[in-house]
Amino acid sequence: MVSPVQIATRPTRTVSAYAAISPTDPLVATTIERRSVGAKDVLIEIAYVGICHSDIHTVRGDWGPVQYPLTVGHEIVGVVSEIGADVTQHQVGDRVGVGCLVNSCRECANCRAGAEQYCLNGNTATYGAVDRDGTITQGGYSTHIVVVEDFVLSVPQSIPYEAAAPLLCAGITTYSPLAHWNAGPGKKVAVIGMGGLGHMAVKISHAMGAETTVLSHSLSKQEDGLRFGADHYYATSDPATFETLANTFDLIINTVSAKIDVDGYLLLLGLDGTMVNIGAPTEVLPVQVYTLCSNRRSFAGTGIGSIRETQDMLDFCAEHGIAPEIELIAADAINDAYERVLASDVRYRFVIDTATLPAI
């Protein structure tokens, strides 16, 4: 690890970006510094970057203190424009991606087990984390990023370029629990919520062969849900839904980042069923233990996925023709996009065209 006192001696490059300057001010056009390419580094010219709800939570301080200014964005696709002398996994011109992680300790039990997303010493997030040189990592709302090669993914050519970006968070966040809990033929899977995460969960669950049900507050997105592969679609605002579906599902994926009646949904699980929370509400979600005991149910949570699992997800999506539904925007529309995300006014993921970032 390089000491922070050495930062000033390290050469850097200046690139265009958008950054948050406070929890309440709009994001602004600016420049940020990227480290020069080291022996194991890859320089990526970013083409597209997705807007994740996590970006908004972070810049608004919902998940803890933030060191401003901060450039967010962890759904990144682009082209390799330079590689370090010891890089073996990527070449200049490769189409690549970067997700939520840019490093980990590589030494703890979880990292050695290939689960660096759960690094016991704290992984290095793509933005807002202390990087290996002591600086704060800056994310993908920018024209370039430098990442150690082991955390750079290969993006299959068959995935539409601009639509590939949200796979690096929304894709892996839904794929990981579906794969871990063995969604597939003979399994009944429910997806709570039909937003940026939920629509990906439906597509992936369907492609895995599971009987897939959407549980959404209303039926306003029913046509979309069925088109994405859902077999059934129910409105949770209708109390009859919870009576009809009691003891039904093997797996429930909760994608919403808001407080819900956890016990009400747990009662929809059959014997040995599991409800997995992948949304990140700021409120506490209380659970009655008896609800778990009564059908040997489990209430679990997952983060993203490992680098290996993320590559598996990209290859799976390429094989099955899966891509997010996106709305492509220019950089000067980022602040409007944030407000629309908060108002649930997007179907289903915003992606920024980084060619529209102001030139330095």
Side-chain angles (χ1 to χ4, degrees), residues 50-347:
I51 291 178
C52 178
H53 206 151
S54 299
D55 301 343
I56 302 173
H57 280 304
T58 299
V59 302
R60 298 195 173 185
D62 294 339
W63 291 344
V66 175
Q67 184 170 320
Y68 300 99
L70 180 66
T71 293
V72 294
H74 57 206
E75 299 178 339
I76 301 165
V77 294
V79 175
V80 175
S81 58
E82 184 181 341
I83 60 174
D86 297 334
V87 170
T88 60
Q89 300 177 46
H90 308 283
Q91 297 181 342
V92 171
D94 285 355
R95 192 164 82 154
V96 296
V98 177
C100 302
L101 305 179
V102 292
N103 218 328
S104 71
C105 81
R106 323 289 187 92
E107 298 174 352
C108 71
N110 288 358
C111 284
R112 293 198 307 272
E116 61 277 350
Q117 73 274 32
Y118 302 123
C119 176
L120 296 173
N121 294 311
N123 59 56
T124 305
T126 304
Y127 57 75
V130 179
D131 205 351
R132 67 189 194 192
D133 61 1
T135 61
I136 300 299
T137 55
Q138 304 291 330
Y141 294 11
S142 61
T143 57
H144 296 78
I145 191 169
V146 179
V147 181
V148 65
E149 68 166 333
D150 295 336
F151 287 76
V152 177
L153 289 307
S154 297
V155 178
Q157 292 290 330
S158 61
I159 300 175
Y161 204 11
E162 65 277 10
L167 293 176
L168 278 303
C169 179
I172 185 56
T173 300
T174 51
Y175 177 91
S176 182
L178 287 166
H180 182 79
W181 275 277
N182 300 311
K187 293 292 185 71
K188 294 183 177 182
V189 173
V191 176
I192 304 174
M194 258 289 288
L197 288 173
H199 91 288
M200 287 306 306
V202 170
K203 289 188 175 192
I204 294 170
S205 176
H206 171 73
M208 288 178 170
E211 182 179 340
T212 306
T213 298
V214 174
L215 303 174
S216 186
H217 180 72
S218 73
L219 299 179
S220 64
K221 298 178 182 178
Q222 182 176 27
E223 184 177 342
D224 282 354
L226 297 176
R227 177 165 56 89
F228 298 153
D231 299 285
H232 316 285
Y233 201 109
Y234 288 87
T236 56
S237 55
D238 181 356
T241 291
F242 292 88
E243 297 177 12
T244 301
L245 299 177
N247 304 303
T248 293
F249 300 108
D250 300 294
L251 178 64
I252 298 175
I253 305 293
N254 177 24
T255 72
V256 302
S257 293
K259 191 172 184 178
I260 64 169
D261 176 12
V262 174
D263 287 281
Y265 286 98
L266 287 172
L267 290 170
L268 304 184
L269 292 170
L271 181 65
D272 290 327
T274 300
M275 177 171 162
V276 183
N277 208 76
I278 60 175
T282 56
E283 303 94 336
V284 173
L285 298 180
V287 178
Q288 291 289 343
V289 174
Y290 179 78
T291 307
L292 299 175
C293 296
S294 63
N295 219 354
R296 206 161 56 198
R297 301 177 175 102
S298 298
F299 183 43
T302 67
I304 46 171
S306 67
I307 297 301
R308 177 198 55 76
E309 193 174 34
T310 304
Q311 189 64 61
D312 289 346
M313 176 275 302
L314 288 167
D315 296 340
F316 178 88
C317 288
E319 178 184 354
H320 293 274
I322 296 173
E325 306 293 313
I326 68 160
E327 182 175 333
L328 192 63
I329 63 170
D332 62 7
I334 290 172
N335 291 300
D336 289 338
Y338 272 28
E339 296 305 318
R340 288 181 57 192
V341 169
L342 294 172
S344 299
D345 179 27
V346 55
R347 294 195 179 182

